[in-house]
Amino acid sequence: MSQAQQDLDSKVRELRQHIDQLSSTIEAQRRLLIDLEEQQSKARQTLNSFLDPMARLPFEIQSHIFVGMISNSYDPIPDPEKVPLVLLGVCKLWRAVALSTPKLWAKIQMEDLPRGPDYSELCRMWLERAGSLPLSLTVHGSLWLEEPVQNLMKQYARRLDALTLYLTTDRGVDTFTRQMRLGGFHSLKTATVTSECETYFRLVNDWVQLLRSSPLLVKYSLENIMYAVDEEHLLANTSPREPLVHSSLQELRLGDAQGHGLWRVRGSSARILNYLTLPALTTLHLSCFDITKDEFTSFLARSSAPISSLSMVVHLLGWLLDVVAEYFQYMPNLTDLQLVFPNRSGYMPLVVFHEAMLTPQFLPGLRSLTFFMVAGNWHLDYQALIRGLTSRRNSTLKSFRLNLVSDDPVHDYSVDLPNEECMAALRGLVSEGMEIHVGPLTRNML
């Protein structure tokens, strides 16, 4: 081997040894840097523990504070600028606390659907962080063809504690209910379905089946969801041999959520009562009485429920003294009653009702009585009203409200007031301790 080749080989060995030494030094410096960064991080955490009161708190307290940031009035939305997602980007400590707090992720509100599969995946990851906690789900938008969301709801159906649906279109309502009734909501306690538009459904049994799949349901609301009578679908609405007996439902609200939309009274979902027996019912709200007297009394008779609060639109046809007595004989526990008289003939059933109050056996436990009436009814018989209230002056009745409602913003409510003699009688009842309101919703004319 030539001398030149030997010198080259020697140089190569030296360079390789030098590179190995440099690599070892670099690796040592890298480990030193990592160690220094860890020491720096711990030093910062220690500094924060002195300067940041949040960092000085125990983990459980921090977690409790984060949960308190979520409002009880609505479910949080998947927005990176809002709680809880915003907490993940503040610092490592806050992120760790947030991800280790399942209660932060047990509620979610999905808005402006449809949003696509990526949004649905984000919601799925959100709910996974809730661990095994009961879930509260609010869905806002169109459910038409939103298959990922429907699949997500089915996946977590057994863990849902509260479900709220805000529909922005009536497209696919029947299809959706048929799919969701198979979900098996075995833990569901509260269910609300409301619509921003006039949403009609044709298959009553679908809403009944949703009740059947939710044996622990306590509150059920169908707001602005109306039954559309259609000969084409009558066969699909054949009544079951026996109405569904639901032993847990305590509160049922059907129709207009406000309860006194006098200018918008139309068909509601009251027909569902023909399919139900509710022995535990304590609160019933009917914004439109679009079933017959016999159907209503049949529901009350077979349910034999301890109803204490009732809100309903008065069915003017056939509103006679014996009919009134028949309605309320099935509700001996009634304490709070709200009646809506949707047209200018409301004074007739009002007189009938107050004549019935003269009988001590009629609603003996009534504590609060509220009427909504169309303003401009100059034939209102205040004498009958005063006779009825006076007969209960020593009873449980403590509150009476006669709310006069008008679609005319400049309506003069003084034309609806009683004469001075009647006003004096009403003020006399007030002086004895009864709370009385007569006039528009925001103004007591007494």
Side-chain angles (χ1 to χ4, degrees), residues 212-227:
R212 190 186 302 277
S213 67
S214 310
L216 301 182
L217 195 66
V218 176
K219 296 182 180 180
Y220 190 34
S221 300
L222 296 178
E223 301 172 357
N224 207 22
I225 307 293
M226 292 162 284
Y227 174 65

Side-chain angles (χ1 to χ4, degrees), residues 72-126:
N72 291 326
S73 60
Y74 64 91
D75 291 347
I77 63 175
D79 187 325
E81 296 183 357
K82 296 182 179 180
V83 177
L85 285 181
V86 70
L87 301 174
L88 303 182
V90 176
C91 65
K92 290 183 178 180
L93 174 62
W94 283 32
R95 179 180 179 86
V97 173
L99 292 178
S100 301
T101 306
K103 198 171 182 179
L104 274 177
W105 313 96
K107 295 182 177 182
I108 186 172
Q109 180 173 178
M110 305 180 195
E111 289 189 327
D112 303 323
L113 299 179
R115 296 281 289 271
D118 291 342
Y119 181 81
S120 300
E121 177 62 17
L122 170 63
C123 295
R124 185 192 63 78
M125 293 175 58
W126 178 303

Side-chain angles (χ1 to χ4, degrees), residues 118-254:
D118 291 342
Y119 181 81
S120 300
E121 177 62 17
L122 170 63
C123 295
R124 185 192 63 78
M125 293 175 58
W126 178 303
L127 294 175
E128 281 186 352
R129 294 168 180 166
S132 59
L133 290 181
L135 302 175
S136 177
L137 175 62
T138 299
V139 180
H140 188 288
S142 172
L143 300 176
W144 180 245
L145 298 180
E146 186 67 9
E147 185 176 355
V149 171
Q150 293 187 18
N151 291 336
L152 190 66
M153 293 173 67
K154 291 179 182 179
Q155 178 182 351
Y156 290 97
R158 290 179 175 271
R159 288 175 48 200
L160 283 180
D161 179 78
L163 174 63
T164 302
L165 304 179
Y166 289 98
L167 308 179
T168 57
T169 175
D170 63 349
R171 295 190 65 193
V173 171
D174 288 338
T175 302
F176 175 76
T177 55
R178 286 197 298 274
Q179 291 176 341
M180 291 311 300
R181 74 184 185 186
L182 304 176
F185 302 101
H186 300 296
S187 301
L188 194 65
K189 303 295 193 310
T190 302
T192 300
V193 184
T194 187
S195 176
E196 296 179 355
C197 58
E198 296 181 11
T199 299
Y200 294 89
F201 66 91
R202 297 181 176 87
L203 304 177
V204 179
N205 279 330
D206 287 341
W207 297 106
V208 176
Q209 292 298 332
L210 280 174
L211 275 170
R212 190 186 302 277
S213 67
S214 310
L216 301 182
L217 195 66
V218 176
K219 296 182 180 180
Y220 190 34
S221 300
L222 296 178
E223 301 172 357
N224 207 22
I225 307 293
M226 292 162 284
Y227 174 65
V229 179
D230 190 333
E231 292 184 2
E232 180 182 349
H233 294 84
L234 285 180
L235 293 178
N237 287 287
T238 303
S239 298
R241 294 181 180 179
E242 294 292 338
L244 170 66
V245 179
H246 198 291
S247 301
S248 298
L249 194 67
Q250 299 178 20
E251 183 174 325
L252 179 62
R253 297 183 176 273
L254 303 174

